[in-house]
Amino acid sequence: ADQYDGFILDQFGVMHNGVMALPGAQECYAQLAAAGKKIVILSNTSRRACNAQGKLLGMGFDPVALSGFVSSGEETYLYLQNHLQGTKCLMFTWERELSEKDASFLKGLDIGQTDVDSADFILCHGTEVISTGSDAPIATNFVHSGDLSMYQPLLEAAKRRDLEMLVANADLRATLPSGSLGHMPGCIGREYQRIGGRVRWFGKPHTAHFEACLRMMGDVDKSRVVHVGDSLEHDIAGANNVGVDSVFVAAGIHSASLGLQVSPDGVIDSQSPALSQDQVNSFVAQESAGKTANLAPTWVSAQFVW
């Protein structure tokens, strides 16, 4: 920690699992804050920053210690606010949008919801329901199944109309509170891109979001900043793209591929083999095959611990 003055932290798989803090993460966060480090959270959550930040205190992380919070959802919201007022979208979203009080992502915007034939664009915000603004949203269960069949006709219709898709969470997979891997909005965005659709991406690994974090740190030199994350493709590649060091947290989304047995609450099984640098190097080389992005981390840690 002495090598760095600024820490850009991923949330899911590093600090918490969406419901509770991961082992050692509360202490590590508190120690960094006590040492006067500047901390900015960079998350691919499609929630707005104010909503996502509000959840931290309940999991034992004091948001007062933060210099900033950048979420892909917030960046998406600002884009909608500045460029797409007075339009309508077909929305792929989460069930919470319909069930939680004040959860609506479009609240405060002059943007309506409609079907693919009348939409001005697609907002890919979540992977549980398809919403046209009617009283009968369509549940897809894509987050668990990964089955695109319910989306495919809509994507093809949108492609014929040359609709742009805004992806509010670029993640492909995320570890769910149950410990299983969930399919995220990035999967739908990739499929739309594959069939020739226009996609506007928000979140990691895109450089603009890392640069927003650096601005929030003020005069901290980039060479004294490190990003801590568990996804090679989003966290580590993004850090390398912008030119900051990185810590790869191995017990996150890639834990099974690295032979780590991790419980849903983040405890590494004592029978798991010790993590070796050679093992990590081999995995990074495997994941890098055929890709232009640099997935090699500066440092490796099993978990976000002090």
Side-chain angles (χ1 to χ4, degrees):
D2 290 342
Q3 290 184 236
Y4 302 104
D5 301 315
F7 286 76
I8 301 173
L9 302 181
D10 181 25
Q11 282 197 108
F12 293 85
V14 173
M15 296 172 65
H16 59 75
N17 66 0
V19 176
M20 60 187 295
L22 295 172
Q26 291 173 336
E27 180 193 7
C28 192
Y29 178 90
Q31 291 281 8
L32 291 175
K37 308 297 183 181
K38 291 195 174 181
I39 304 170
V40 175
I41 291 176
L42 175 59
S43 174
N44 273 4
T45 178
S46 53
R47 288 182 183 267
R48 292 198 61 193
C50 56
N51 295 332
Q53 189 169 329
K55 293 182 64 180
L56 289 177
L57 188 59
M59 290 186 278
F61 301 100
D62 185 358
V64 173
L66 293 174
S67 295
F69 193 118
V70 177
S71 77
S72 55
E74 185 68 21
E75 299 299 305
T76 306
Y77 185 91
L78 292 174
Y79 182 85
L80 294 171
Q81 186 179 57
N82 293 328
H83 301 284
L84 290 170
Q85 299 277 32
T87 62
K88 293 181 179 180
C89 68
L90 172 64
M91 190 172 186
F92 305 153
T93 189
W94 305 107
E95 289 180 355
R96 68 173 183 248
E97 283 288 304
L98 312 173
S99 60
E100 293 182 13
K101 184 180 178 182
D102 297 326
S104 175
F105 184 73
L106 297 177
K107 183 178 180 180
L109 298 174
D110 180 20
I111 295 176
Q113 297 176 59
T114 187
D115 58 33
V116 69
D117 295 323
S118 303
D120 298 301
F121 66 98
I122 298 176
L123 177 57
C124 188
H125 175 262
T127 59
E128 290 177 328
V129 295
I130 297 168
S131 177
T132 62
S134 71
D135 293 330
I138 302 169
T140 68
N141 198 41
F142 179 76
V143 65
H144 298 294
S145 71
D147 181 0
L148 281 164
S149 60
M150 296 185 73
Y151 293 94
Q152 207 73 50
L154 298 173
L155 299 183
E156 291 168 359
K159 167 62 172 61
R160 286 194 296 271
R161 297 191 57 226
D162 192 32
L163 298 184
E164 184 176 50
M165 176 185 288
L166 275 59
V167 180
N169 176 341
D171 283 349
L172 302 174
R173 306 282 188 274
T175 303
L176 303 176
S178 65
S180 63
L181 287 180
H183 299 82
M184 295 291 110
C187 293
I188 301 174
R190 275 203 175 176
E191 176 60 16
Y192 192 51
Q193 203 166 51
R194 186 192 69 79
I195 67 172
R198 294 186 295 120
V199 178
R200 186 178 296 273
W201 297 93
F202 294 88
K204 299 172 290 186
H206 304 287
T207 302
H209 306 288
F210 283 86
E211 291 174 340
C213 295
L214 294 173
R215 288 193 296 272
M216 289 177 175
M217 290 184 174
D219 59 358
V220 176
D221 190 271
K222 191 164 68 171
S223 66
R224 300 281 297 176
V225 175
V226 66
H227 174 49
V228 185
D230 70 326
S231 169
L232 292 179
E233 189 169 358
H234 295 96
D235 295 302
I236 307 308
N240 287 332
N241 285 343
V242 81
V244 300
D245 287 355
S246 62
V247 177
F248 170 50
V249 175
I253 195 169
H254 298 300
S255 59
S257 299
L258 291 164
L260 297 176
Q261 300 174 41
V262 184
S263 69
D265 56 1
V267 177
I268 299 176
D269 193 294
S270 60
Q271 300 303 310
S272 291
L275 193 66
S276 71
Q277 187 63 53
D278 286 345
Q279 183 183 10
V280 173
N281 291 344
S282 176
F283 178 65
V284 169
Q286 174 187 321
E287 291 294 298
S288 299
K291 299 174 183 174
T292 57
N294 179 3
L295 306 185
T298 312
W299 310 97
V300 178
S301 178
Q303 294 181 297
F304 179 54
V305 295
W306 188 253

